[in-house]
Amino acid sequence: MALKLKYYYDIMSQPSRALLIFLNVAKIPYENCPVALRKGEQFDDEYKSINRFQKVPCIIHNDFKLSESVAIFRYLMREYKIPDHWYPKDSKVRAKVDEYLEWQHINTRLACARYFQAIWLKPKMGQTVSENEVNESKFYMEYVLDLFENIWLQDGNKFITGNEITVADLLAACEIEQTKVTGYNACEGRPKLQKYLETVRAETNPFYDEAHKLIYKLTPKSKL
Amino acid sequence: MALKLKYYYDIMSQPSRALLIFLNVAKIPYENCPVALRKGEQFDDEYKSINRFQKVPCIIHNDFKLSESVAIFRYLMREYKIPDHWYPKDSKVRAKVDEYLEWQHINTRLACARYFQAIWLKPKMGQTVSENEVNESKFYMEYVLDLFENIWLQDGNKFITGNEITVADLLAACEIEQTKVTGYNACEGRPKLQKYLETVRAETNPFYDEAHKLIYKLTPKSKL
């Protein structure tokens, strides 16, 4: 029987890893469809017909195509039988998960991705990065990581919205993990964040480590 | 009887206007709580206790505090009796609305807001804006507006996800309207966008025009 869910992703994409961990933890059967960003496969015509925005991740469920990781999470929660804690039905708890999911776009997501691109990806691709870009991206990321430590984790809960893991935690952790590749230690001076990342990892292993295999490999040894 | 929903907003904030139009169109009773960004009221301690991120919009529903416009839209759809078309229950149609709601953060939202800030807001506040910042913000916004015209509006539907208006349309239209203040005409060379904005406006008036009163006033006459 052909699997009805096709998952298109690259493990160097943070939201791709978050969804990959989720599919495995939640035991959702899927067809593995890697898209190698390093080879520019997202720009191929074939992939353009799958995701008109030429980005990862995306899914095809039966014939239904969907991009945007947060939209995909919500869709999967409706289409499959998934433990409620991942995206709680309780209106107020769900609203708090939503609050993080929306907040993260121009905060954790944009800030960590920009720093990663300025320090690691662009130089790797032979692009020149100005001192100004490096400094600005670091300043912005540290500001956001401090908000994460001091606001989102201030209540002493195990996870962002309480003591049960949600999809918000997967997106947050995968975003922050990626910055390690640059040699930056996001946990230094942020004890709540350190404990938090360890908790998300423990809760979702072995899938968390599997998804982060390449990230760990690329991280300078002193920072592991 | 005290109204149970308090709405904190500023009409110069694009997502604030989108929610304001929605509250009025959907006839949700609310207590009007303007927060004057031009006076820095979002930084007052009193407001910080209402929204820990010190931004607008946000709500207090009974004692429940919530920020992030998209999370607020979803919460209101659960808590009030609202016509289904605004955020359809059908899983696939909802997924398409979600896809735009998530896509817009670092596209329509960020691009239009940045251009508005570079061309209008920062100079107004006495800040120097480099030629590079002006050019980059314009390039990015035009790239996004072209995606909006050529991808989101390509199917010939009246609205982003079909022929019925959704919350995605409110957020999109309010974001694009704001750029008019800079003297930029987003509709020039984008006929689908022009027709689209007219349709969203007609569908939500008189509330659309009421919410955009200040935007229209600040827009150079030749661009109206």
Side-chain angles (χ1 to χ4, degrees), chain B residues 42-57:
Chain B
Q42 72 274 31
F43 301 120
D44 291 354
D45 282 348
E46 191 193 337
Y47 189 67
K48 194 178 177 179
S49 73
I50 293 166
N51 178 0
R52 61 209 194 281
F53 296 108
Q54 297 170 282
K55 294 195 170 173
V56 289

Side-chain angles (χ1 to χ4, degrees), chain A residues 139-205:
Chain A
F139 179 83
Y140 176 37
M141 180 183 70
E142 301 216 301
Y143 166 75
V144 167
L145 290 173
D146 288 342
L147 286 180
F148 196 86
E149 172 87 2
N150 299 321
I151 296 192
W152 288 104
L153 300 180
Q154 74 180 335
D155 295 331
N157 294 325
K158 279 167 75 181
F159 300 104
I160 293 175
T161 56
N163 285 313
E164 289 203 281
I165 194 166
T166 74
V167 294
D169 299 299
L170 294 179
L171 281 162
C174 289
E175 210 58 65
I176 298 168
E177 285 289 352
Q178 184 115 342
T179 64
K180 286 185 182 166
V181 174
T182 66
Y184 182 77
N185 183 356
C187 298
E188 202 175 306
R190 298 186 188 95
K192 291 179 206 155
L193 178 60
Q194 172 142 19
K195 200 174 161 195
Y196 168 78
L197 288 180
E198 286 165 7
T199 310
V200 176
R201 183 186 179 193
E203 190 86 6
T204 55
N205 254 341

Side-chain angles (χ1 to χ4, degrees), chain B:
Chain B
M1 190 190 76
L3 288 168
K4 60 179 184 170
L5 182 71
K6 290 185 177 192
Y7 181 47
Y8 297 84
Y9 70 101
D10 184 297
I11 53 160
M12 281 302 283
S13 138
Q14 303 87 314
S16 283
R17 287 199 303 278
L19 260 167
L20 183 67
I21 295 167
F22 180 70
L23 288 169
N24 287 312
V25 172
K27 298 192 180 79
I28 297 175
Y30 63 94
E31 185 179 329
N32 214 29
C33 307
V35 180
L37 300 183
R38 70 192 180 283
K39 295 182 192 163
E41 286 179 2
Q42 72 274 31
F43 301 120
D44 291 354
D45 282 348
E46 191 193 337
Y47 189 67
K48 194 178 177 179
S49 73
I50 293 166
N51 178 0
R52 61 209 194 281
F53 296 108
Q54 297 170 282
K55 294 195 170 173
V56 289
C58 82
I59 59 165
I60 303 183
H61 184 229
N62 299 319
D63 290 328
F64 182 65
K65 295 168 188 163
L66 189 63
S67 67
E68 289 297 328
S69 57
V70 178
I72 295 171
F73 269 123
R74 292 195 171 97
Y75 176 76
L76 294 175
M77 294 301 299
R78 292 193 296 272
E79 298 291 322
Y80 292 86
K81 212 174 149 65
I82 309 285
D84 185 71
H85 68 83
W86 284 109
Y87 189 48
K89 284 202 180 57
D90 177 275
S91 181
K92 288 189 175 57
V93 188
R94 174 164 292 199
K96 286 290 160 188
V97 178
D98 280 347
E99 191 180 47
Y100 180 80
L101 292 176
E102 301 307 321
W103 181 87
Q104 57 101 25
H105 285 283
I106 59 162
N107 288 286
T108 341
R109 167 96 189 101
L110 192 60
C112 294
R114 244 195 219 156
Y115 185 74
F116 168 76
Q117 284 162 15
I119 307 293
W120 194 89
L121 191 63
K122 286 185 180 176
K124 201 92 181 165
M125 292 167 74
Q127 290 177 34
T128 313
V129 181
S130 69
E131 206 185 317
N132 195 36
E133 187 177 343
V134 169
N135 291 341
E136 276 191 3
S137 69
K138 189 173 184 196
F139 180 83
Y140 177 36
M141 180 184 67
E142 301 215 301
Y143 166 75
V144 167
L145 289 173
D146 288 342
L147 286 180
F148 196 85
E149 171 86 2
N150 299 321
I151 295 192
W152 288 104
L153 300 181
Q154 74 180 334
D155 295 331
N157 294 324
K158 279 169 73 182
F159 300 104
I160 293 176
T161 57
N163 285 313
E164 290 203 280
I165 193 166
T166 74
V167 294
D169 299 299
L170 295 179
L171 281 161
C174 290
E175 209 59 65
I176 298 168
E177 286 287 354
Q178 184 113 343
T179 64
K180 286 185 182 165
V181 175
T182 66
Y184 181 78
N185 182 356
C187 297
E188 201 175 305
R190 298 187 188 94
K192 291 180 206 153
L193 178 60
Q194 173 143 17
K195 199 173 162 197
Y196 168 79
L197 287 181
E198 285 164 7
T199 311
V200 176
R201 183 185 178 193
E203 189 86 7
T204 56
N205 254 341
F207 307 113
Y208 191 93
D209 280 354
E210 265 173 37
H212 285 91
K213 210 162 42 185
L214 186 53
I215 295 294
Y216 296 154
K217 197 174 158 191
L218 293 169
T219 298
K221 288 292 159 280
S222 60
K223 301 293 174 184
L224 266 174

Side-chain angles (χ1 to χ4, degrees), chain A residues 25-196:
Chain A
V25 172
K27 298 193 181 80
I28 296 175
Y30 63 94
E31 186 180 326
N32 214 29
C33 307
V35 179
L37 300 183
R38 70 191 180 284
K39 296 181 192 163
E41 286 179 1
Q42 72 275 29
F43 301 119
D44 290 353
D45 282 348
E46 192 194 336
Y47 189 67
K48 194 177 178 181
S49 73
I50 293 166
N51 178 1
R52 62 209 194 280
F53 296 108
Q54 298 171 282
K55 294 195 170 173
V56 289
C58 83
I59 59 165
I60 304 182
H61 184 230
N62 300 319
D63 291 329
F64 183 66
K65 296 168 188 165
L66 188 63
S67 66
E68 288 297 328
S69 57
V70 177
I72 296 171
F73 269 123
R74 292 195 171 97
Y75 177 76
L76 294 176
M77 295 301 301
R78 293 194 296 272
E79 297 291 322
Y80 291 86
K81 212 175 148 64
I82 309 285
D84 184 70
H85 67 83
W86 285 109
Y87 189 49
K89 284 203 181 56
D90 177 274
S91 180
K92 289 190 174 58
V93 187
R94 174 164 292 200
K96 285 291 159 187
V97 178
D98 280 345
E99 192 181 46
Y100 180 81
L101 292 176
E102 302 307 320
W103 180 87
Q104 57 100 28
H105 285 282
I106 59 162
N107 287 285
T108 339
R109 169 96 189 102
L110 192 60
C112 294
R114 245 194 218 156
Y115 185 73
F116 168 76
Q117 284 163 14
I119 307 294
W120 194 90
L121 191 62
K122 286 185 179 176
K124 202 90 182 168
M125 292 166 74
Q127 290 177 33
T128 314
V129 181
S130 69
E131 206 185 317
N132 194 35
E133 187 177 344
V134 169
N135 291 341
E136 276 191 4
S137 69
K138 189 173 184 196
F139 179 83
Y140 176 37
M141 180 183 70
E142 301 216 301
Y143 166 75
V144 167
L145 290 173
D146 288 342
L147 286 180
F148 196 86
E149 172 87 2
N150 299 321
I151 296 192
W152 288 104
L153 300 180
Q154 74 180 335
D155 295 331
N157 294 325
K158 279 167 75 181
F159 300 104
I160 293 175
T161 56
N163 285 313
E164 289 203 281
I165 194 166
T166 74
V167 294
D169 299 299
L170 294 179
L171 281 162
C174 289
E175 210 58 65
I176 298 168
E177 285 289 352
Q178 184 115 342
T179 64
K180 286 185 182 166
V181 174
T182 66
Y184 182 77
N185 183 356
C187 298
E188 202 175 306
R190 298 186 188 95
K192 291 179 206 155
L193 178 60
Q194 172 142 19
K195 200 174 161 195
Y196 168 78

